[in-house]
């Protein structure tokens, strides 16, 4: 029975799963948009949204909590200086998951996860 269990195992032991999610969180916060499998994107959404909500407070304690979760100083700096102020008034729902297709090698469902309200770079005409 699955009573009360939260989260996906992603076919990895706990330490490796933590490392994978931290790496994905750092990449998403640095680049605003990443492409990964659908299961990883859905699991990543839980962790990133909680991290952004913590960072919105902007005090030293929240910075230390974020550094404990994501030990990547450049990503945490960008989280506090760029990402969190962007969502100051938004009550939640900071990410969007878009299904892209199937991976060629094994047929896994690929999804794109992105932060909402990001600055879109347009190419000059």
């Amino acid at each position: 029975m699955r009573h009360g269990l939260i989260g996906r195992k992603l076919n990895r032991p706990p330490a490796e799963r933590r490392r994978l999610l931290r790496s994905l969180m750092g990449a998403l916060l640095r680049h605003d948009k990443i492409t990964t499998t659908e299961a990883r994107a859905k699991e990543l959404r839980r962790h990133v949204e909680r991290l952004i909500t913590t960072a919105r407070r902007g005090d030293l304690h929240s910075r230390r909590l974020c550094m404990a979760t994501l030990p990547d100083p450049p990503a945490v700096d960008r989280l506090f200086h760029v990402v969190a102020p962007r969502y100051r008034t938004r009550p939640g729902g900071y990410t969007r998951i878009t299904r892209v297709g199937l991976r060629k090698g094994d047929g896994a469902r690929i999804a794109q996860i992105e932060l909402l309200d990001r600055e879109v770079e347009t190419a000059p005409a």
Side-chain angles (χ1 to χ4, degrees):
M1 286 186 282
R2 199 180 181 280
H3 296 302
L5 299 178
I6 297 173
R8 292 165 183 79
K9 290 191 176 184
L10 301 175
N11 201 21
R12 284 170 164 70
E16 189 177 336
R17 186 168 53 242
R18 245 186 324 270
R19 285 192 301 265
L20 172 72
L21 287 170
R22 284 177 177 176
S23 172
L24 288 172
M25 279 191 287
L28 181 62
L29 291 173
R30 270 192 278 357
H31 303 292
D32 282 347
K33 177 163 119 176
I34 59 172
T35 303
T36 183
T37 63
E38 189 176 346
R40 288 178 186 174
K42 287 180 177 180
E43 186 64 20
L44 177 62
R45 170 190 276 177
R46 293 178 51 235
H47 297 283
V48 167
E49 294 206 355
R50 184 171 296 158
L51 203 65
I52 293 172
T53 302
T54 303
R56 280 177 46 193
R57 287 198 324 241
D59 57 351
L60 180 61
H61 180 62
S62 60
R63 180 177 286 271
R64 286 179 176 166
L65 287 174
C66 290
M67 281 297 291
T69 304
L70 178 65
D72 182 4
V76 173
D77 280 342
R78 188 167 191 283
L79 171 67
F80 273 84
H81 294 115
V82 177
V83 177
R86 190 186 311 165
Y87 302 117
R88 184 71 56 201
T89 59
R90 192 179 185 100
Y94 314 115
T95 58
R96 173 188 300 134
I97 295 177
T98 309
R99 285 157 188 82
V100 176
L102 300 176
R103 189 161 54 197
K104 190 172 181 118
D106 59 355
R109 286 183 282 196
I110 297 297
Q112 197 172 54
I113 182 167
E114 62 183 329
L115 296 175
L116 296 177
D117 303 332
R118 62 190 178 88
E119 297 85 19
V120 179
E121 297 176 13
T122 57

